[in-house]
Amino acid sequence: MAAAAVVAPQAEASESWYLALLGFAEHFRTSSPPKIRLCVHCLQAVFQFKPPQRIEARTHLQLGSVLYHHTKNSELARQHLEKAVSGGRGIPQFEDVKFEAASLLSELYCLEQNSVDAAKPLLRKAIQISQQTPYWHCRLLFQLAQLHTLEKDLVSACDLLGVGAEYARVVGSEYTRALFLLSKGMLLLMERKLQEVHPLLTLCGQIVENWQGNPIQKESLRVFFLVLQVTHYLDAGQVKSVKPCLKQLQQCIQTISTLHDDEILPSNPADLFHWLPKEHMCVLVYLVTVMHSMQAGYLEKAQKYTDKALMQLEKLKMLDSSPILSSFQVILLEHIIMCRLVTGHKATALHEVKMISQVCQLCQQSPRLFSNHAAQLHTLLGLYCISVNCMDNAEAQFTTALRLTTHQELWTFIVTNLASVYIREGNRHQELYSLLERINPDHNFPVSSHCLRAAAFYIRGLFSFFQGRYNEAKRFLRETLKMSNAEDLNRLTACSLVLLGHIFYVLGNHRESNNMVVPAMQLASKIPDMSVQLWSSALLRDLNKACGNTIDAHEAAQMHQNFSQQLLQDHIEACSLPEHNLTTWTDGSPPVQFQAQNGPTTSLASLL
């Protein structure tokens, strides 16, 4: 009895020392600026008091977390987290420490030490013993699924998400069940397993509509669901068909922005998840709107939404280091670069290419960012090379991009543009025939994208035109027009119209040529597409000359001169930039330093 009386005050004293040191550590961690060294000293001092096993394990977790998040000493962080995992195993009712340490340690293995093989068994073990703890069981399943996704093992990731959805259903969490199923739907879309996607999305839509809970959580589920639907349509190149879904998505994000965060915690611990913060969702909706505007050829609208999204991103990145923000930024820049090249702003496009390489290099939280976007970066440089008539460099960039990508839609896009390079070079028939066979829109087209298939018909028409097979060219171009009109693909429509106008002009059918060129010019002005406007104005000038319309011919000639001057000035400015030397980069990371070039070295003949 006396011995017990002595032990109790000792335990209380130990607890009071621990709480005091913990308080000091938290004070130093949250100071402005944080005093991490002092925070670590306070936590390390806990071990001097020979604390009980549960306090020792928790302190190892706290030290590991602080060292991982606030220092570069990943090795010491790893040691403390491993001690937290092993120390917490023998303690009953100590789930938070055991599972949080396992979660954090597996993250450290992957990001800091690039050891996925060490992370996977750690997570699997934690998943096995966490079934009585719904929050951690679901969180660890999500984490392991994400790890398999990063390894491109989407089958294993989908299996885990399916297990998570069933577990969430059993523990009565329809909200988290929907999150698992929507995440699985996203991966199935990435795998192009469309027959599995449709019933899954239908089920998700029913769950989302029927779930009655926190309004922000419900609307965030709806945003997730609609984003998947919109991207599914855009991947399929169905720009017109997607409009109702996109409108719903935009209305949904407006609704979320008016809702206040509810501080009441869900009664079911399995519901303690959040897909994305409201601010991130807002940027994501801007992003898919830019993607839609880009495909549809509404380039001024794409520019407007890109500016809004980038402005919001800059504000968020000052407070939030989430790697997803850098991914959003890179994808937005990729789309706006394509806009710049179409609208005749090549110099600005080059600056933004450099920005992408800088974002990829500076984003230490996501080391895979560059490797995930390297193919797109080389593709953009290939498009830039075409715009400044550097065909050899364009071929090198596209060839590099093909080597780096496994994405079928991107592969098809690259091959289509590489075919246009070979057509313009005029002496690459063998390579060209080989490419055209691989993207034959009449049979065995490699992807289901309506937009890319229409573009493949256009490339066939362009090749037939250069070969002088005008009837064949007209057949291909009419197919492009039919497909592009069906889905409001305005830029393809404009390109097809002006090429058809050119064919009719060559054949001497001036009236039919005029019927093609005038709407092409109007559509190109609306986009605005500088190259098509240049081409259309030259045709209008020649047509009006041939028809004896002197005033109209003079007006068209003046327009052509204005477009030529704008494009020539932009061409000279772009080729004079140090970043122009990126056109020769085909291996490894982008060069950090750029050497200035002594004026343009490319032919301007294609612009005049």
Side-chain angles (χ1 to χ4, degrees):
M1 200 61 184
V6 172
V7 171
Q10 287 178 343
E12 288 177 14
S14 175
E15 291 280 355
S16 64
W17 275 108
Y18 171 63
L19 293 173
L21 287 168
L22 196 62
F24 278 123
E26 186 63 9
H27 166 73
F28 291 131
R29 189 186 69 83
T30 57
S31 296
S32 185
K35 299 172 182 175
I36 299 303
R37 184 182 296 274
L38 292 173
C39 171
V40 169
H41 283 326
C42 289
L43 291 171
Q44 285 175 330
V46 171
F47 299 124
Q48 302 300 317
F49 292 90
K50 308 295 183 189
Q53 188 181 1
R54 60 187 181 83
I55 289 180
E56 184 177 343
R58 187 179 294 279
T59 305
H60 280 303
L61 169 61
Q62 289 160 332
L63 269 166
S65 179
V66 168
L67 289 165
Y68 174 54
H69 289 117
H70 298 282
T71 76
K72 294 182 179 179
N73 197 338
S74 61
E75 181 59 27
L76 189 57
R78 179 187 64 77
Q79 292 172 17
H80 281 292
L81 290 171
E82 286 176 345
K83 287 176 182 176
V85 170
S86 59
R89 279 178 187 151
I91 307 173
Q93 306 299 316
F94 210 53
E95 285 80 5
D96 281 356
V97 168
K98 284 187 290 192
F99 301 136
E100 185 177 350
S103 173
L104 201 55
L105 182 57
S106 66
E107 189 179 313
L108 184 147
Y109 282 153
C110 292
L111 293 181
E112 297 292 332
Q113 302 185 343
N114 199 25
S115 181
V116 174
D117 290 338
K120 284 192 288 191
L122 180 65
L123 286 173
R124 287 196 198 102
K125 178 66 176 174
I127 287 167
Q128 284 175 2
I129 62 175
S130 64
Q131 293 193 30
Q132 302 307 311
T133 314
Y135 167 75
W136 278 108
H137 191 66
C138 291
R139 178 168 164 174
L140 292 164
L141 280 167
F142 273 126
Q143 191 171 349
L144 185 55
Q146 182 182 29
L147 201 150
H148 281 296
T149 302
L150 291 173
E151 286 197 303
K152 303 290 191 289
D153 181 4
L154 300 187
V155 173
S156 297
C158 282
D159 289 344
L160 284 164
L161 293 170
V163 169
E166 179 58 22
Y167 176 83
R169 186 191 67 77
V170 169
V171 297
S173 173
E174 287 296 283
Y175 168 75
T176 301
R177 181 188 177 202
L179 280 180
F180 274 114
L181 290 174
L182 288 166
S183 301
K184 183 177 179 179
M186 180 173 65
L187 297 189
L188 290 173
L189 282 173
M190 289 168 63
E191 284 192 285
R192 301 294 178 262
K193 292 187 175 178
L194 303 185
Q195 289 184 334
E196 295 179 47
V197 167
H198 295 305
L200 185 68
L201 286 183
T202 302
L203 174 61
C204 288
Q206 293 168 353
I207 294 172
V208 171
E209 290 309 312
N210 294 333
W211 186 69
Q212 301 300 319
N214 182 307
I216 285 185
Q217 284 184 310
K218 184 177 178 72
E219 290 302 313
S220 72
L221 284 179
R222 188 176 280 129
V223 169
F224 196 171
F225 172 69
L226 288 169
V227 164
L228 291 186
Q229 284 201 313
V230 168
T231 51
H232 181 29
Y233 277 116
L234 292 178
D235 276 350
Q238 296 175 323
V239 173
K240 186 176 183 180
S241 305
V242 77
K243 285 182 179 178
C245 283
L246 183 60
K247 189 173 182 182
Q248 284 183 57
L249 178 59
Q250 290 164 341
Q251 290 169 343
C252 194
I253 201 67
Q254 287 177 346
T255 301
I256 284 185
S257 64
T258 64
L259 295 173
H260 296 289
D261 288 322
D262 193 348
E263 296 297 327
I264 300 172
L265 291 175
S267 56
N268 190 335
D271 284 344
L272 287 167
F273 291 96
H274 204 52
W275 177 51
L276 282 177
K278 284 194 294 186
E279 298 79 10
H280 292 199
M281 281 189 270
C282 185
V283 175
L284 180 58
V285 174
Y286 279 141
L287 174 56
V288 295
T289 303
V290 168
M291 292 165 68
H292 174 263
S293 302
M294 189 68 212
Q295 276 200 37
Y298 304 132
L299 301 194
E300 288 183 345
K301 187 177 178 182
Q303 172 70 59
K304 181 179 80 171
Y305 281 108
T306 299
D307 289 344
K308 286 185 175 182
L310 289 175
M311 194 181 305
Q312 187 154 342
L313 273 172
E314 286 305 312
K315 292 177 184 175
L316 289 173
K317 288 183 82 172
M318 286 190 283
L319 305 169
D320 187 345
S321 60
S322 173
I324 197 172
L325 296 180
S326 294
S327 296
F328 286 163
Q329 186 179 5
V330 168
I331 297 169
L332 281 163
L333 288 169
E334 287 170 354
H335 281 81
I336 203 61
I337 287 165
M338 289 188 282
C339 282
R340 307 284 193 211
L341 295 176
V342 172
T343 56
H345 297 91
K346 294 184 278 290
T348 310
L350 265 184
H351 283 302
E352 287 161 341
V353 168
K354 184 174 79 169
M355 281 177 64
I356 289 179
S357 67
Q358 289 173 340
V359 170
C360 289
Q361 288 167 348
L362 292 173
C363 185
Q364 296 175 350
Q365 296 91 347
S366 184
R368 293 179 181 86
L369 190 62
F370 171 70
S371 60
N372 288 343
H373 289 269
Q376 289 93 318
L377 201 48
H378 286 289
T379 303
L380 291 169
L381 284 169
L383 295 174
Y384 166 77
C385 291
I386 290 177
S387 75
V388 292
N389 205 31
C390 295
M391 293 302 155
D392 288 344
N393 287 0
E395 181 184 354
Q397 292 297 335
F398 289 139
T399 303
T400 302
L402 286 173
R403 189 182 76 242
L404 294 172
T405 190
T406 56
H407 190 277
Q408 275 293 94
E409 275 74 11
L410 180 58
W411 181 91
T412 307
F413 179 78
I414 296 165
V415 168
T416 304
N417 282 283
L418 182 56
S420 77
V421 170
Y422 290 157
I423 289 170
R424 290 176 67 169
E425 287 184 315
N427 58 352
R428 305 294 295 276
H429 296 307
Q430 188 173 350
E431 296 100 321
L432 181 56
Y433 283 122
S434 174
L435 284 184
L436 292 178
E437 191 55 37
R438 299 173 81 182
I439 54 166
N440 189 337
D442 283 320
H443 60 85
N444 296 327
F445 196 64
V447 294
S448 59
S449 171
H450 182 94
C451 180
L452 287 172
R453 187 163 173 261
F457 273 117
Y458 175 79
I459 287 295
R460 287 262 169 169
L462 186 67
F463 181 50
S464 298
F465 167 73
F466 275 98
Q467 293 278 295
R469 302 195 301 271
Y470 298 127
N471 286 334
E472 184 180 271
K474 283 190 284 184
R475 180 182 81 79
F476 287 128
L477 293 171
R478 282 173 177 145
E479 196 62 38
T480 305
L481 274 178
K482 184 172 75 175
M483 294 185 71
S484 56
N485 283 333
E487 287 293 344
D488 290 346
L489 305 172
N490 290 325
R491 188 158 183 254
L492 265 178
T493 299
C495 291
S496 301
L497 284 171
V498 72
L499 183 50
L500 276 169
H502 203 134
I503 290 169
F504 284 119
Y505 175 76
V506 171
L507 293 173
N509 190 341
H510 294 167
R511 182 176 178 180
E512 195 63 32
S513 178
N514 192 70
N515 289 342
M516 298 290 143
V517 179
V518 169
M521 185 64 164
Q522 291 168 344
L523 199 51
S525 302
K526 181 182 172 184
I527 289 172
D529 186 321
M530 288 292 286
S531 297
V532 175
Q533 288 180 96
L534 183 74
W535 190 359
S536 299
S537 58
L539 264 176
L540 283 172
R541 176 196 62 199
D542 296 343
L543 268 173
N544 283 303
K545 270 186 188 176
C547 296
N549 301 326
T550 309
I551 296 174
D552 290 340
H554 177 73
E555 185 180 322
Q558 189 60 53
M559 276 196 300
H560 183 260
Q561 178 67 15
N562 291 341
F563 292 133
S564 296
Q565 288 301 316
Q566 288 179 53
L567 284 167
L568 180 60
Q569 185 177 349
D570 182 50
H571 181 104
I572 292 170
E573 183 184 351
C575 294
S576 301
L577 290 171
E579 291 85 356
H580 179 78
N581 283 302
L582 277 168
T583 58
T584 61
W585 161 63
T586 56
D587 191 40
S589 299
V592 178
Q593 299 296 328
F594 304 98
Q595 298 299 317
Q597 192 154 296
N598 298 320
T601 60
T602 57
S603 166
L604 304 182
S606 65
L607 298 173
L608 300 176

